[in-house]
Amino acid sequence: QVQLVESGGGVVQPGGSLRLSCATSGFTMDHYAMGWLRQAPGKEREFVAGIRRSGGDTYYADSVKGRFTISRDNAKNTAYLQMNSLKPEDTAVYYCAAAIRLIGAFPTAPNEYTYWGQGTQVTVSS
C-alpha cells in the first residue's frame, strides 16, 4: 500500500520558518522524482519545489526561490521542505507527491504526479 505522510505544518508568524517532512512507504522512493505542491483556498494547486531521484537537481517556483529548500533522504524514504522567511501568501495546504519522470523537463503540473500525500496545513499569520 502506497503511503505519503506529510508532517510539520502549523501556524507561524511572517518571517518565521517551518520544516515539512514527507515519509513514504509502499513504493521505491529513489525511483521517483519528488515534489511539493500547494493549494490555497480558491486557487488551483501549484508547484512549489521538486527534486530529482538522486537529489542532485532541484527546482523551485519563482515565488519561493531563495526561501525554500527541498531535500530528500532516500535511505529514510523521506523528503523535506525547509521553508524560511515565510509570508502570508505562503498560506496553503502543502502536498508531497511522487512522479515517475526519469528524463526530460521536471514535472510541475499536478497531473504529472502519480502518488500523493494527504496534505498538511501551513498558515502564516500575525
Side-chain angles (χ1 to χ4, degrees):
Q1 180 182 0
V2 171
Q3 285 192 312
L4 293 81
V5 180
E6 300 98 335
S7 61
V11 180
V12 64
Q13 292 187 339
S17 298
L18 285 174
R19 189 192 195 207
L20 305 184
S21 297
C22 173
T24 72
S25 61
F27 67 105
T28 307
M29 196 186 89
D30 61 8
H31 289 185
Y32 288 75
M34 297 298 296
W36 288 93
L37 297 89
R38 69 186 180 187
Q39 188 165 18
K43 295 189 176 181
E44 294 187 352
R45 196 167 298 188
E46 65 175 0
F47 175 80
V48 174
I51 187 167
R52 294 277 187 190
R53 293 182 299 160
S54 65
D57 293 311
T58 56
Y59 305 84
Y60 298 94
D62 287 343
S63 59
V64 307
K65 206 169 292 184
R67 300 188 297 122
F68 290 11
T69 302
I70 188 171
S71 60
R72 64 190 295 162
D73 185 337
N74 288 336
K76 294 183 178 180
N77 294 316
T78 302
Y80 305 94
L81 185 68
Q82 177 67 44
M83 305 186 295
N84 298 328
S85 303
L86 283 160
K87 304 175 181 180
E89 51 264 43
D90 294 318
T91 295
V93 177
Y94 283 71
Y95 297 90
C96 172
I100 195 61
R101 179 75 58 83
L102 300 181
I103 59 173
F106 193 87
T108 59
N111 63 8
E112 296 181 284
Y113 286 84
T114 304
Y115 301 131
W116 289 86
Q118 82 289 349
T120 186
Q121 177 71 46
V122 171
T123 302
V124 185
S125 174
S126 55

